[in-house]
Amino acid sequence: MAAPGDRHNQITSPPQPRSLVPPPLGPGLLRAQALGTRDMAGKKELVWQLVLNTRGKTLGKEIVRWKEEALFDQVAEEAAPRARPRLVFRTQLAHGSPTGRIEGFTNVRELYAKIAEAFGIAPTEILFCTLNSHKVDMQKLLGGQIGLEDFIFAHVRGETKEVEVTKTEDALGLTITDNGAGYAFIKRIREDSIINRIQAVCVGDSIEAINDHSIVGCRHYEVAKMLRELPKSQPFTLRLVQPKRAFDMIGQRSRNSKCPADAKVTSGRETLRLRSGGAATVEEVPTEFEEEASRRVDDLLESYMGIRDPELASTMVDTAKKTLSVQEFAHRLDSVLGEFAFPDEFVVEVWAAIGEAREACG
């Protein structure tokens, strides 16, 4: 046995295996632990520390320093999460096609690649997807979540058109969103706006170029900024691509900016949440508070930036739930969504809107 003063440097015998088996861990720690089994030995000690942070009363400090791989792998195996069943989704091309089945995607780009593979087209042909409706219905637009029973309709490139616009007011009356894979498109046209008077421009049209400058690959907030910065009283050209339509597809000409927020279309108790960074996860359907807070934040995104993005709004709500003050919230937003460079007054309004949603939902 080691002398008491040497206890932190020597271990004479390994602990009994039963002392190594922790109670079931939360999903976050399970993922970290599973990753640890595939990393170098230095990472294994980190995973043990994570276990201790949650179960410190049952695991001793010696286990943190114990580096027997067999013992570590035994715990990782016993604590590993049970594999979920395969998630297979049905899909069609919105203008008409046989039904395909897709699986194995973790983000929007991979989703589009799987749909394209199923129908023998290029992923760049897909402008956006709707859930449970083949029509150009922005209330059914695929955002960051897919219900496990949802039917996915892919809207592909149709005719290209060019329109000339003269900016006589500061705002054109457009709300822009993007498909998460390089295409920005029109989600809403405000009534009595400049764009609403141009019949050739429709909800669902993808904006391919401004004054012959390609914007393919730009995010929605970048496109909205370009349009805001165009000088007044000077004409400019928009090159648009409309989605291919079947005969019975009548697109929305416009939508009042004060209409109800876009509904999330989900089925069952769980949804597949797609993320721009990281793997997709199966999650419970959002709570009433999360739905209401995301709706209010999405409305603020439209009024401040001219965009709608339910997934961005949901990410901001998730970030707020982990913070205790508006200062901490602003700091976390900078680290998570720094590319948006949100102004301070906008962050304060978002924090207040999320607080109001919390109060409204009890």
Side-chain angles (χ1 to χ4, degrees):
M1 293 290 291
D6 296 333
R7 185 179 178 188
H8 293 294
N9 299 319
Q10 299 181 26
I11 300 176
T12 56
S13 61
Q16 294 299 315
R18 64 176 177 274
S19 68
L20 283 172
V21 181
L25 306 176
L29 291 183
L30 283 175
R31 283 196 293 270
Q33 195 167 46
L35 287 175
T37 64
R38 296 193 294 269
D39 281 337
M40 302 298 291
K43 288 290 184 183
K44 294 183 177 181
E45 193 165 335
L46 171 62
V47 174
W48 281 116
Q49 187 64 56
L50 288 174
V51 174
L52 272 179
N53 285 343
T54 303
R55 307 294 181 183
K57 294 181 179 179
T58 59
L59 300 178
K61 292 182 179 179
E62 291 83 3
I63 298 177
V64 179
R65 293 192 298 274
W66 196 258
K67 296 184 179 180
E68 288 288 341
E69 288 195 21
L71 296 176
F72 178 87
D73 291 340
Q74 176 188 348
V75 176
E77 181 178 353
E78 293 194 37
R82 289 175 294 178
R84 286 186 176 273
R86 288 167 52 196
L87 299 178
V88 181
F89 295 87
R90 294 168 299 159
T91 183
Q92 287 183 0
L93 300 181
H95 64 279
S97 76
T99 298
R101 284 174 169 76
I102 56 174
E103 61 178 303
F105 54 89
T106 61
N107 55 52
V108 172
R109 289 183 184 273
E110 291 180 8
L111 166 63
Y112 287 5
K114 292 290 185 179
I115 295 174
E117 181 181 356
F119 297 109
I121 61 176
T124 52
E125 289 292 300
I126 302 173
L127 298 179
F128 56 86
C129 294
T130 50
L131 299 177
N132 306 316
S133 174
H134 68 287
K135 295 185 178 182
V136 182
D137 185 347
M138 294 294 107
Q139 287 188 300
K140 305 269 180 86
L141 190 67
L142 185 150
Q145 297 190 3
I146 307 174
L148 300 189
E149 300 298 323
D150 281 344
F151 202 112
I152 304 171
F153 289 90
H155 298 254
V156 301
R157 293 172 62 93
E159 296 182 2
T160 301
K161 54 193 175 184
E162 289 196 355
V163 296
E164 186 174 277
V165 183
T166 300
K167 190 175 181 181
T168 56
E169 305 170 14
D170 290 331
L172 294 171
L174 288 177
T175 297
I176 309 296
T177 190
D178 64 43
N179 67 357
Y183 288 146
F185 58 94
I186 299 171
K187 188 170 186 179
R188 185 170 298 172
I189 299 173
R190 195 182 71 239
E191 293 182 356
D192 301 322
S193 65
I194 297 171
I195 293 297
N196 194 50
R197 295 192 286 269
I198 304 175
Q199 293 298 310
V201 182
C202 299
V203 167
D205 286 352
S206 172
I207 304 175
E208 190 170 69
I210 301 173
N211 285 334
D212 291 327
H213 172 70
S214 174
I215 61 162
V216 175
C218 294
R219 292 299 312 275
H220 46 23
Y221 64 92
E222 295 173 313
V223 177
K225 184 173 183 288
M226 293 177 200
L227 293 172
R228 282 198 306 270
E229 293 177 347
L230 289 170
K232 289 175 63 174
S233 303
Q234 292 186 19
F236 66 92
T237 302
L238 288 175
R239 185 161 74 240
L240 306 170
V241 179
Q242 67 182 36
K244 193 171 185 179
R245 305 179 188 224
F247 288 112
D248 65 337
M249 295 171 67
I250 302 175
Q252 299 165 306
R253 177 66 190 94
S254 65
R255 177 173 291 277
N256 191 310
S257 61
K258 295 184 179 180
C259 72
D262 298 342
K264 286 189 178 178
V265 183
T266 56
S267 301
R269 296 180 57 193
E270 293 183 315
T271 63
L272 181 69
R273 183 168 179 179
L274 304 178
R275 303 178 187 276
S276 55
T281 55
V282 176
E283 300 180 354
E284 293 293 319
V285 171
T287 65
E288 180 186 0
F289 156 68
E290 291 168 336
E291 290 273 12
E292 176 63 17
S294 296
R295 182 190 68 77
R296 295 184 185 219
V297 173
D298 206 20
D299 287 344
L300 287 173
L301 286 170
E302 181 175 26
S303 62
Y304 267 81
M305 304 176 66
I307 64 173
R308 290 196 79 89
D309 189 331
E311 175 57 19
L312 174 59
S314 178
T315 299
M316 297 178 79
V317 172
D318 288 345
T319 302
K321 287 162 55 180
K322 302 171 186 175
T323 59
L324 300 176
S325 68
V326 66
Q327 292 82 5
E328 185 184 0
F329 177 54
H331 179 73
R332 282 182 177 260
L333 281 185
D334 285 342
S335 63
V336 176
L337 301 168
E339 70 271 20
F340 287 91
F342 295 123
D344 291 342
E345 61 271 17
F346 174 72
V347 173
V348 171
E349 286 216 32
V350 169
W351 177 260
I354 293 172
E356 290 167 1
R358 186 179 285 107
E359 292 179 2
C361 298

